[in-house]
Amino acid sequence: MKIAVIDDRTEEITFLTEYLDQYLGERSTSYQMVCFTSGEAFLDHFREGMYAVIFLDAVLDSENMNGMETAKKIREKDPDVMIIFSTNSPDFAIEGYTVGASGYLLKPYSYDQFMQTMDLVYDKIHPVRKYIEVKEKKMMVLDDIIYCDYENHYIRIHTVRRMVRSYMQFRELSKLLIGYAQFQCCYRNIIINMDQVQEMEHADFLMSNGERIPMRRQERLEIRQKYADYIFEKTNL
């Protein structure tokens, strides 16, 4: 998830980063944050679809463009991006709705207030994210992943085109994938993409690349049931 913050106060950016770390960490959602100190600097760089959420101070210390004017320019370029005002002035709250703002946080705000605002947008922006970012800045498209395993301190991500190795602990990868219904841990240090299962057999899964992935013997019934439930729900949407 890519997030922009437009604020001319460094301490406010630090404050917001701590809240984002806590909120998205609790939901095992990785994110990238890019910060700007003026609306002009942001708009010079901005294009449609670049960000999922933009946090914007309505009162920017700029001679040319305040936060509300920046929001109007943003909306001209991107009708869908989520804009959340984070500001110390209540004066723009009503005007904020004219640019389709998804929230208006009045500084200083508590984590509970931040969480309530993020809850309103999270379910809308989270499905847009169709990739994970592993170490070494490798971006992995979720639908391309067949299965993941672990060998000699490296995770191995087997995709439809290649195998990617990344130096990280398996539990770190599990945190990135947890919450996506299509992924299931079926054996020690192995996670499969159930959308890439060609056939479920008695003791293993036949994957789309022809490989067989075993199921843990002691949890075989639960693993088979989880796969059956997933397929049932997917075909009955």
Side-chain angles (χ1 to χ4, degrees):
M1 181 188 301
K2 198 169 183 180
I3 297 172
V5 177
I6 310 171
D7 200 308
D8 51 15
R9 295 177 180 271
T10 303
E11 63 272 22
E12 298 294 346
I13 294 174
T14 301
F15 178 76
L16 180 57
T17 301
E18 292 175 357
Y19 279 0
L20 283 168
D21 282 345
Q22 181 176 346
Y23 183 88
L24 295 176
E26 290 169 350
R27 289 153 184 80
S28 301
T29 301
S30 62
Y31 75 97
Q32 177 186 359
M33 187 171 77
V34 185
C35 301
F36 302 86
T37 57
S38 72
E40 294 91 339
F42 174 79
L43 290 168
D44 285 344
H45 145 96
F46 178 63
R47 65 179 183 273
E48 183 179 2
M50 181 174 285
Y51 296 100
V53 186
I54 299 172
F55 287 90
L56 174 61
D57 187 353
V59 184
L60 290 170
D61 186 13
S62 172
E63 295 180 0
N64 299 317
M65 186 180 298
N66 65 25
M68 188 55 64
E69 292 167 338
T70 301
K72 292 176 181 178
K73 295 291 186 181
I74 290 170
R75 193 52 79 212
E76 289 174 5
K77 290 187 175 184
D78 192 330
D80 299 317
V81 65
M82 302 286 179
I83 299 174
I84 297 176
F85 286 101
S86 173
T87 183
N88 57 15
S89 172
D91 297 342
F92 299 95
I94 295 176
E95 192 175 358
Y97 290 102
T98 67
V99 294
S102 299
Y104 198 97
L105 292 165
L106 190 60
K107 301 174 184 177
Y109 47 87
S110 68
Y111 178 73
D112 283 344
Q113 291 172 311
F114 173 83
M115 181 173 63
Q116 289 171 12
T117 298
M118 284 296 293
D119 283 347
L120 296 175
V121 303
Y122 182 77
D123 287 341
K124 298 176 183 178
I125 60 178
H126 189 250
V128 173
R129 179 177 168 271
K130 297 295 184 182
Y131 61 87
I132 58 170
E133 181 178 342
V134 297
K135 291 186 177 180
E136 293 88 39
K137 303 295 182 183
K138 295 174 182 175
M139 310 299 290
M140 307 303 305
V141 178
L142 293 176
D143 290 342
D144 287 347
I145 297 173
I146 299 173
Y147 73 95
C148 309
D149 60 5
Y150 187 70
E151 181 182 64
N152 295 330
H153 306 292
Y154 282 86
I155 60 162
R156 302 190 305 177
I157 303 175
H158 304 259
T159 76
V160 295
R161 283 176 287 275
R162 59 191 177 120
M163 189 268 284
V164 173
R165 296 172 79 244
S166 181
Y167 187 78
M168 62 190 296
Q169 295 182 342
F170 191 78
R171 65 171 176 268
E172 294 180 73
L173 176 68
S174 298
K175 287 181 180 179
L176 293 177
L177 294 177
I178 195 171
Y180 293 99
Q182 72 208 75
F183 292 96
Q184 177 180 190
C185 184
C186 63
Y187 201 78
R188 185 175 183 272
N189 291 340
I190 300 179
I191 295 175
I192 63 165
N193 180 355
M194 292 188 284
D195 286 337
Q196 293 284 348
V197 171
Q198 184 172 316
E199 186 177 348
M200 179 176 68
E201 300 185 347
H202 175 68
D204 54 31
F205 290 102
L206 177 62
M207 306 305 294
S208 60
N209 63 352
E211 294 188 54
R212 294 184 182 277
I213 304 299
M215 305 176 197
R216 286 187 298 269
R217 179 178 298 181
Q218 64 273 28
E219 299 176 33
R220 193 172 292 162
L221 289 177
E222 292 86 348
I223 292 168
R224 291 173 60 84
Q225 186 62 55
K226 184 174 180 179
Y227 175 74
D229 290 343
Y230 173 75
I231 295 301
F232 177 81
E233 292 178 13
K234 182 178 178 180
T235 55
N236 285 276
L237 289 177

